[in-house]
């Protein structure tokens, strides 16, 4: 009987799944570059370059990040992200993800969490700043938001 209880307890412990890790993040810095030219295409290099500006955080709300490496799960503010084309989602130093279907005028997002420093970087590319009428474009923007995160229960 004791052997049966021991085997059952080992199976229960051995089959337990990794719990989701939850973080709360607050923005501390943002970089932005805007090009008002119709059809302008901006890159990460533009956002980090001399024509960009450091601005106060436009998002003053706390953001949530939830991940589970064994389930290959990454959520930012409730939105599921998938592994980017550039490689795996999880490694020892970083977690990366991107949206699969751009929302709201084609906004494309990439997220990177530094697992050591717990700094989240959200890169957002907005290919159309406004759409006054169908078929009209009025420039684009690229922003990078940096947030400090902490683990919560």
């Amino acid at each position: 009987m004791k052997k049966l209880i021991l085997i059952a307890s080992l199976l229960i412990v051995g089959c337990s799944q990794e719990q989701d890790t939850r973080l709360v993040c607050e923005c501390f810095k943002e970089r932005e570059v805007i090009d008002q030219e119709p059809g302008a295409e901006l890159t990460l290099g533009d956002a980090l370059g001399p024509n960009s500006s450091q601005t106060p955080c436009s998002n003053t709300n706390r953001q949530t990040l939830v991940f589970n490496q064994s389930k290959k799960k990454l959520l930012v503010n409730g939105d599921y992200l998938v592994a980017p084309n550039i490689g795996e989602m999880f490694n020892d130093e970083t977690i990366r993800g991107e949206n699969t279907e751009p929302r709201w005028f084609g906004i494309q997002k990439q997220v990177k969490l530094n697992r050591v420093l717990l700094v989240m970087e959200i890169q957002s590319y907005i290919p159309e700043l406004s759409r006054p009428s169908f078929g009209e474009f009025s420039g684009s923007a690229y922003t990078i938001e940096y947030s400090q995160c902490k683990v919560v229960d």
Side-chain angles (χ1 to χ4, degrees):
M1 183 68 163
K2 288 181 182 179
K3 287 183 181 180
L4 183 60
I5 293 173
L6 179 63
I7 291 172
S9 64
L10 286 175
L11 287 174
I12 291 171
V13 172
C15 295
S16 64
Q17 292 200 357
E18 175 186 350
Q19 296 293 314
D20 290 351
T21 301
R22 299 178 189 286
L23 293 96
V24 173
C25 308
E26 290 188 50
C27 180
F28 66 87
K29 178 173 74 171
E30 188 170 293
R31 294 196 65 81
E32 178 179 69
V33 64
I34 296 174
D35 192 332
Q36 297 292 342
E37 291 296 316
E41 292 186 21
L42 297 170
T43 65
L44 173 61
D46 294 318
L48 295 172
N51 294 330
S52 69
S53 59
Q54 185 168 320
T55 61
C57 294
S58 60
N59 183 2
T60 57
N61 297 323
R62 288 184 174 184
Q63 300 187 71
T64 59
L65 185 140
V66 177
F67 71 90
N68 186 316
Q69 188 165 344
S70 63
K71 295 179 184 175
K72 296 197 183 302
K73 172 182 173 181
L74 176 62
L75 288 98
V76 175
N77 297 325
D79 292 333
Y80 273 97
L81 302 173
V82 297
N85 295 333
I86 56 176
E88 288 295 314
M89 182 178 274
F90 297 93
N91 67 40
D92 291 341
E93 290 91 31
T94 59
I95 300 172
R96 297 174 184 262
E98 62 185 27
N99 60 343
T100 55
E101 295 181 23
R103 297 166 35 176
W104 305 301
F105 298 101
I107 296 174
Q108 301 165 11
K109 280 193 176 181
Q110 291 187 345
V111 174
K112 179 172 75 173
L113 174 71
N114 180 314
R115 294 177 89 160
V116 178
L117 301 175
L118 291 182
V119 173
M120 178 173 66
E121 178 182 306
I122 299 178
Q123 300 175 17
S124 300
Y125 174 59
I126 307 162
E128 300 175 36
L129 286 178
S130 63
R131 193 181 292 186
S133 64
F134 184 73
E136 289 185 30
F137 301 99
S138 61
S140 60
Y142 202 113
T143 61
I144 306 171
E145 181 181 307
Y146 301 92
S147 299
Q148 184 63 58
C149 301
K150 63 182 177 182
V151 177
V152 295
D153 293 329

